[in-house]
């Protein structure tokens, strides 16, 4: 409950936001992104798709699952779908975009990672490392957003 109180306190103005609060918001984002990213990479790789279509699918699914997790929590608070959808878009778009840029950028730049198969340790190792780095880079972004009453601060206005 303390995290919810802190988010609500910062929802309407700039102010000090604890790193733990930003990390928790980023972890929430990472969960949806990781589900979509892993699922997309696994599907594309298993189907023998090329790098570009696999990456596009992984990114699309990362956004889908990221938004879906937020949408689910807002809808639980009794918010109508249209409002909840707009809140999810406003709360998560920048965070997911940064996370996906870092995650996919590292995978694309890592030698051999784009050609690794599901049975290769390189596939799973690069994916894990890229998600960890994306978490580290995205946490300050979420801290900045929450401190300005945006990002997950908006989501927590709807929690009771």
């Amino acid at each position: 409950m303390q995290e919810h109180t802190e988010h609500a306190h910062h929802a309407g103005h700039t102010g000090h936001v604890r790193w733990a609060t930003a990390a928790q918001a980023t972890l929430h984002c990472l969960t949806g992104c990781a589900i979509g990213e892993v699922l997309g990479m696994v599907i594309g790789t298993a189907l023998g798709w090329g790098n570009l279509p696999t990456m596009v699918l992984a990114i699309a699914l990362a956004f889908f699952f990221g938004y879906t997790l937020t949408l689910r929590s807002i809808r639980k608070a009794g918010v109508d779908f249209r409002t909840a959808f707009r809140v999810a878009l406003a709360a998560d778009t920048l965070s997911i975009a940064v996370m996906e840029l870092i995650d996919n950028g590292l995978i694309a730049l890592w030698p051999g990672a784009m050609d690794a198969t599901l049975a290769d340790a390189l596939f799973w190792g690069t994916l894990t490392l890229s998600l960890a780095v994306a978490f580290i880079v995205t946490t300050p972004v979420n801290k900045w957003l929450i401190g300005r009453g945006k990002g997950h601060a908006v989501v927590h206005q709807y929690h009771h």
Side-chain angles (χ1 to χ4, degrees), residues 6-14 146 148-150 153-154 156-157:
E6 184 172 329
H7 280 299
H9 173 72
H10 292 293
H13 62 85
T14 59
I146 294 166
R148 279 144 191 81
K150 301 191 181 318
V154 176
H156 286 281
Q157 291 177 11

Side-chain angles (χ1 to χ4, degrees), residues 37-38 40-43 45 54 107 112-130:
E37 189 76 29
V38 170
M41 293 287 189
V42 167
I43 290 170
T45 302
T54 298
I107 291 171
M114 294 297 289
D115 298 319
T117 66
L118 297 176
D120 293 333
L122 180 62
F123 175 89
W124 296 104
T126 306
L127 187 57
T128 302
L129 177 66
S130 68

Side-chain angles (χ1 to χ4, degrees), residues 19-70:
W19 281 104
T21 302
Q24 185 174 1
T26 307
L27 186 58
H28 178 268
C29 180
L30 178 70
T31 302
C33 286
I35 292 168
E37 189 76 29
V38 170
L39 188 58
M41 293 287 189
V42 167
I43 290 170
T45 302
L47 294 176
W49 289 3
N51 292 336
L52 184 61
T54 298
M55 193 172 281
V56 168
L57 177 62
I59 292 168
L61 290 176
F63 273 93
F64 173 78
F65 282 101
Y67 289 141
T68 299
L69 290 179
T70 298

Side-chain angles (χ1 to χ4, degrees), residues 72-125:
R72 183 175 155 256
S73 70
I74 298 168
R75 291 282 292 143
K76 274 185 168 180
V79 177
D80 66 280
F81 181 83
R82 184 182 172 115
T83 301
F85 185 74
R86 282 189 285 184
V87 169
L89 289 178
D92 288 341
T93 299
L94 182 59
S95 180
I96 295 171
V98 169
M99 194 163 284
E100 287 304 297
L101 178 68
I102 299 302
D103 173 39
N104 286 284
L106 280 171
I107 291 171
L109 294 173
W110 197 276
M114 294 297 289
D115 298 319
T117 66
L118 297 176
D120 293 333
L122 180 62
F123 175 89
W124 296 104

